[in-house]
């Protein structure tokens, strides 16, 4: 299903990009990296050519409009995300840019999604009513999913009948966080999905491709609830220390990465907030997870 944007966008060929590669390798990056692990740094490389003048003209913008190309990454295994690279695009055609950045393995896991976008940073002096005006408006996009399949990378998901295992029979899912802080996260974190909730099962198993809006909503709620479960484990476990040296790939290391990515507060402040202002704490989890947030 095509997406209709409320503003003009340039033709797709205003950005021409080479395939993703790893530093020092000539072949295209595979969609599946079975030998990856948490100690592996991914040195990602790509070259692109951008027609900055044509992109502005076809979008109804003037030369003083600000455009930038950037790479956003999301890791399903760690629930972390961020911006890896960004460069401003001048109002000139044929601008060649070298995209180079490293992603540390400790922040990754599961499926790594790379979103390459050309976005508006400043609408400039355009008078066109159909030109993009909101900073962050996407004029061009390219997405790549890479499966990281090391021994400790996949966030385990099990589909089961909740009624048979004694869980609330109408609940769509439940995050089980058990084991010690130094235990491997692979064996301590388990996402249980109720097989009676077919629409949810279809989304987590990839069988709901025909309804992207519903899939996005379900995954957004699932990420929010999973983040809540991890953060609550961190704040209620008195043994957890955000500055401790936990083994790579352990539950403690995952909790540290989650807190550092999403919260500026110290751990004790989060613990007080969880106890004294639970409603506000829950709302902050939703905000940190970007619950049902529309991408621009």
């Amino acid at each position: 299903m095509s997406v209709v944007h409320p503003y003009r966008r340039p033709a797709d060929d205003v950005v021409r990009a080479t395939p993703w590669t790893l530093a020092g390798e000539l072949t295209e990056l595979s969609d599946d990296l079975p030998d990856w692990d948490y100690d592996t740094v991914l040195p990602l490389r790509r070259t692109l050519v951008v027609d900055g003048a044509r992109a502005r003209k076809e979008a109804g913008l003037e030369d003083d409009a600000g455009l930038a190309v950037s790479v956003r990454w999301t890791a399903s295994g760690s629930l972390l995300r961020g911006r890896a690279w960004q460069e401003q695009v001048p109002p000139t055609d044929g601008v060649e840019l070298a995209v180079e950045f490293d992603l540390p393995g400790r922040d990754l896991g599961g499926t790594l999604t790379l979103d390459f976008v050309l976005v508006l940073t400043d609408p400039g002096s355009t008078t066109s009513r159909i030109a993009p005006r909101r900073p962050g408006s996407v004029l061009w996009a390219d997405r790549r999913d890479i499966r990281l399949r090391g021994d400790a990378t996949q966030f385990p998901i099990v589909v089961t009948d909740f009624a048979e295992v004694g869980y609330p029979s109408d609940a769509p899912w439940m995050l089980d966080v058990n084991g010690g802080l130094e235990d491997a996260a692979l064996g301590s974190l388990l996402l249980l999905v109720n097989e009676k909730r077919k629409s949810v099962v279809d989304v987590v198993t990839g069988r709901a491709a025909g309804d992207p809006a519903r899939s996005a909503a379900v995954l957004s709620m699932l990420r929010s609830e999973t983040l809540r479960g991890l953060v609550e484990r961190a704040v209620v476990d008195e043994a957890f220390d955000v500055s401790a040296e936990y083994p790579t790939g352990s539950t403690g290391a995952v909790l540290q990465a989650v807190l550092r990515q999403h919260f500026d507060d110290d751990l004790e402040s989060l613990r007080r907030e969880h106890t004294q202002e639970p409603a506000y704490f829950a709302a902050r989890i939703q905000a940190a997870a970007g619950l049902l947030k529309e991408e621009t």
Side-chain angles (χ1 to χ4, degrees):
M1 182 177 65
S2 61
V3 178
V4 178
H5 295 269
Y7 50 82
R8 288 177 58 181
R9 286 172 31 121
D12 288 342
D13 65 356
V14 295
V15 180
R16 282 98 57 200
T18 62
W20 287 104
T21 62
L22 296 177
E25 298 186 7
L26 299 178
T27 57
E28 181 177 353
L29 180 64
S30 172
D31 289 335
D32 190 276
L33 298 179
D35 297 327
W36 180 89
D37 60 46
Y38 278 108
D39 293 322
T40 299
V41 174
L42 288 182
L44 294 163
R45 305 291 184 264
R46 194 181 201 186
T47 301
L48 66 152
V49 177
V50 186
D51 292 340
R54 183 161 68 94
R56 288 171 171 84
K57 181 178 180 180
E58 293 182 1
L61 299 165
E62 300 297 329
D63 284 350
D64 62 351
L67 298 183
V69 284
S70 65
V71 181
R72 307 165 184 166
W73 63 271
T74 305
S76 67
S78 65
L79 299 178
L80 300 181
R81 57 186 176 183
R83 186 173 69 193
W85 178 91
Q86 179 167 293
E87 189 75 35
Q88 297 297 315
V89 178
T92 306
D93 288 340
V95 177
E96 184 171 312
L97 300 173
V99 182
E100 300 182 356
F101 59 87
D102 298 341
L103 293 180
R106 65 179 180 273
D107 293 339
L108 307 180
T111 297
L112 171 64
T113 299
L114 299 172
D115 284 307
F116 209 136
V117 293
L118 173 66
V119 298
L120 180 72
T121 59
D122 185 341
S125 60
T126 182
T127 58
S128 172
R129 293 183 178 180
I130 57 176
R133 293 181 175 275
R134 181 180 178 184
S137 297
V138 176
L139 306 185
W140 175 91
D142 173 65
R143 169 170 287 192
R144 178 70 183 276
D145 289 327
I146 303 165
R147 183 71 172 176
L148 307 175
R149 297 201 303 156
D151 290 340
T153 66
Q154 299 182 50
F155 196 90
I157 298 177
V158 173
V159 178
T160 187
D161 187 340
F162 275 26
E164 290 187 359
V165 294
Y167 297 138
S169 59
D170 290 331
W173 55 66
M174 189 184 81
L175 178 66
D176 186 12
V177 185
N178 55 52
L181 293 168
E182 297 194 356
D183 294 339
L186 179 64
S188 302
L189 307 177
L190 181 64
L191 181 65
L192 298 161
V193 178
N194 190 351
E195 69 177 19
K196 296 296 179 62
R197 302 294 292 271
K198 183 177 182 303
S199 61
V200 177
V201 173
D202 287 346
V203 169
V204 299
T205 57
R207 296 197 295 264
D211 192 349
R214 180 180 180 86
S215 296
V218 170
L219 289 175
S220 180
M221 289 185 283
L222 182 56
R223 283 193 295 268
S224 180
E225 282 296 290
T226 302
L227 179 61
R228 180 190 59 78
L230 293 174
V231 174
E232 286 192 341
R233 166 63 192 267
V235 298
V236 302
D237 189 340
E238 294 183 357
F240 174 70
D241 184 347
V242 76
S243 61
E245 292 290 335
Y246 294 112
T248 299
S250 67
T251 297
V254 169
L255 297 181
Q256 286 177 331
V258 168
L259 292 185
R260 289 167 180 166
Q261 174 69 17
H262 294 285
F263 300 96
D264 295 327
D265 315 55
D266 63 80
L267 182 58
E268 292 308 313
S269 295
L270 285 174
R271 283 171 169 160
R272 286 194 299 271
E273 186 176 279
H274 176 259
T275 302
Q276 300 172 9
E277 301 181 84
Y280 181 75
F281 180 84
R284 288 193 65 195
I285 296 292
Q286 294 172 1
L291 177 62
L292 301 178
K293 182 178 180 181
E294 296 182 2
E295 295 293 335
T296 58

